Amino acid sequence: MEVRFPTHRQWELTHLRGRLLQAQLQVSGMITNPAALMDWLTPSEPPKVDTVAKTWLHTLVTRLERIQLDPGSALTARLQGDGTDPHGFRMNLTSQIPRAETPWGQAEQVQMDATLAPSTRHRELSEIRLSLTFAQAQTDGASQDQGRVNATLSWSATNPDALQAEWRWRNQRTRSVWGDVDQLDLSATTRRATNSGAPFLTEFRLETER
């Protein structure tokens, strides 16, 4: 890893290399006022998260930790931001993954592009935009060919209740024990639940051709 200091208030990261989920990881970027990061990474009072949401998030993180990527996979990240403005951070992550093993199934020839940037709808929110394609995916009950996933996640570093996600899954062909489907198109919206025992509420829309 190499860190440069263009000014006393800037850190420039270059040649930061490591491994993440067995994949090669390379990170570069520029951070202004890095000392201020500690103010919101370690707040004096931890954010209030109800028990149901905390359990759900713990389960999700546990499953993500079980993902294994092909050792030949490559992840490249570029970040830029000011430590005094957590909502203003920008990051771009690209990946080339020959094969991925996840708790939900396997996928081959995965390409991903993800961008973190301030929300265009609300100045106190950040957005993650994800575009992912795969040649083939296999789950316990079905397989899919030539798939594409697009998703947008809006969130706040200071208000967990502001989380909302919109995503769309499309693929050319799905084969399952219940039959074969061409041109599957599944879209969904997830938001914080207010009057439910679950932490989040998801609404689905499905279109198919046979």
Side-chain angles (χ1 to χ4, degrees), residues 118-123 125 127 129 152-154 164 166:
S119 172
T120 56
R121 294 178 289 185
H122 196 291
R123 66 182 183 86
L125 296 179
E127 281 186 353
R129 294 185 177 273
T152 301
L153 172 67
S154 301
Q164 179 171 317
E166 298 176 356

Side-chain angles (χ1 to χ4, degrees), residues 40 80-90 116-119 122-127 155-159 162:
W40 56 276
Q80 182 176 1
D82 189 325
T84 63
D85 181 19
H87 298 293
F89 264 75
R90 297 177 179 272
L116 167 68
S119 172
H122 196 291
R123 66 182 183 86
E124 293 186 357
L125 296 179
S126 298
E127 281 186 353
W155 65 288
S156 170
T158 56
N159 181 14

Side-chain angles (χ1 to χ4, degrees), residues 40-53:
W40 56 276
L41 290 177
T42 56
S44 56
E45 295 184 4
K48 296 181 179 180
V49 181
D50 62 72
T51 304
V52 176

Side-chain angles (χ1 to χ4, degrees), residues 9-164:
R9 294 192 307 157
Q10 289 183 317
W11 288 2
E12 182 180 1
L13 307 177
T14 60
H15 308 299
L16 175 57
R17 294 185 175 89
R19 300 196 74 86
L20 177 65
L21 302 174
Q22 298 188 0
Q24 301 177 39
L25 173 66
Q26 180 173 328
V27 181
S28 62
M30 179 78 73
I31 300 176
T32 304
N33 297 312
L37 289 173
M38 299 304 298
D39 293 338
W40 56 276
L41 290 177
T42 56
S44 56
E45 295 184 4
K48 296 181 179 180
V49 181
D50 62 72
T51 304
V52 176
K54 185 176 181 180
T55 301
W56 184 89
L57 290 172
H58 174 74
T59 300
L60 176 61
V61 171
T62 300
R63 291 181 178 178
L64 292 176
E65 290 176 342
R66 292 167 53 192
I67 294 176
Q68 295 185 358
L69 305 181
D70 186 284
S73 302
L75 308 176
T76 304
R78 170 75 183 176
L79 61 91
Q80 182 176 1
D82 189 325
T84 63
D85 181 19
H87 298 293
F89 264 75
R90 297 177 179 272
M91 184 178 71
N92 178 254
L93 174 67
T94 59
S95 66
Q96 300 283 337
I97 303 171
R99 181 176 175 83
E101 298 276 351
T102 80
W104 306 279
Q106 304 86 37
E108 296 182 356
Q109 301 303 318
V110 179
Q111 297 186 21
M112 182 184 71
D113 186 277
T115 301
L116 167 68
S119 172
T120 56
R121 294 178 289 185
H122 196 291
R123 66 182 183 86
E124 293 186 357
L125 296 179
S126 298
E127 281 186 353
I128 297 176
R129 294 185 177 273
L130 170 71
S131 176
L132 181 148
T133 62
F134 60 84
Q136 188 176 53
Q138 180 77 41
T139 61
D140 288 340
S143 63
Q144 300 89 33
D145 295 333
Q146 303 301 320
R148 175 180 293 274
V149 179
N150 294 99
T152 301
L153 172 67
S154 301
W155 65 288
S156 170
T158 56
N159 181 14
D161 290 340
L163 184 145
Q164 179 171 317

